[in-house]
Amino acid sequence: MIRRLRHAALLALALSAPQAACEERIYTVPLHLEAECPGCAAGDEAACTDGEDNDRDGLTDCEDPDCAGAYLCRERGPEDTAERCADGFDNDGNGYTDCADFSCRPTAACRTEVQGPENTDETCSDGLDNDWNGHIDCGDFSCSKAPGVTVCEGNDVRCSDGIDNDGNGFTDCDDFSCSRSTQVTVCK
């Protein structure tokens, strides 16, 4: 408890220092806090994994709040809460981050505040699950099969324009959204 209080007091002192680039900082910050200046040098993250108390505040590596943003100090585990699904980090290590991770789809971070239709260019390209069915944008049949939606593959116009409209790495008739769609005639 004393360690936390001491750290909180030192942090408050550090935050009261004028905001400037690290090289230009006016040295009103105690020297033991000056050692960690996140974002000033490419090697800063190494200070969060070296087993040392680099800023001499009594906290080592990931125990130190200064290292909260370091890759190895991020909270790991299931990516299934609104907080973890909006932190820009692949918490469960499966290669998918935030709303691109299927575990995040049902969370509030990946859907709109109010449930509504997902069948316009705007709602089919906003990165959110507007109709709360667990599918986002062009991955939702409400978008991919809607005749008026032009941002997704799955119609004759988008399946013959030479562009990977849905961003999945396949263009036009090489995309299953086009070649296997009953609504697309240009790939038959």
Side-chain angles (χ1 to χ4, degrees):
M1 182 69 171
I2 293 173
R3 179 184 245 178
R4 285 187 182 181
L5 289 173
R6 186 180 81 183
H7 183 69
L10 293 172
L11 186 59
L13 180 62
L15 292 175
S16 67
Q19 298 297 316
C22 294
E23 306 81 50
E24 301 167 3
R25 183 177 287 156
I26 299 170
Y27 291 95
T28 56
V29 178
L31 289 177
H32 66 279
L33 290 178
E34 194 61 36
E36 289 182 3
C37 184
C40 292
D44 284 342
E45 191 154 319
C48 295
T49 58
D50 62 1
E52 300 290 326
D53 178 12
N54 302 88
D55 60 2
R56 298 182 302 275
D57 64 356
L59 301 170
T60 304
D61 296 343
C62 294
E63 292 175 358
D64 195 326
D66 295 334
C67 291
Y71 180 80
L72 293 173
C73 296
R74 297 251 182 150
E75 187 174 348
R76 302 240 184 247
E79 197 158 9
D80 59 359
T81 65
E83 294 77 26
R84 287 186 177 178
C85 292
D87 64 0
F89 181 68
D90 179 15
N91 304 85
D92 57 11
N94 69 352
Y96 298 97
T97 302
D98 296 344
C99 294
D101 192 315
F102 294 112
S103 302
C104 287
R105 301 274 170 100
T107 69
C110 300
R111 66 177 190 220
T112 54
E113 284 186 34
V114 178
Q115 184 177 8
E118 191 164 15
N119 58 7
T120 65
D121 281 348
E122 182 182 346
T123 59
C124 291
S125 60
D126 62 1
L128 298 170
D129 180 12
N130 303 80
D131 57 10
W132 296 13
N133 67 353
H135 302 282
I136 297 174
D137 297 344
C138 294
D140 190 327
F141 287 143
S142 301
C143 293
S144 62
K145 295 190 182 276
V149 173
T150 62
V151 295
C152 301
E153 306 233 74
N155 60 56
D156 282 339
V157 173
R158 293 291 174 192
C159 290
S160 60
D161 62 3
I163 299 170
D164 177 15
N165 303 96
D166 58 8
N168 68 353
F170 298 96
T171 304
D172 297 342
C173 294
D174 291 333
D175 191 319
F176 288 149
S177 305
C178 295
S179 62
R180 294 188 177 178
S181 172
T182 57
Q183 298 177 343
V184 176
T185 61
V186 296
C187 296
K188 305 292 180 222

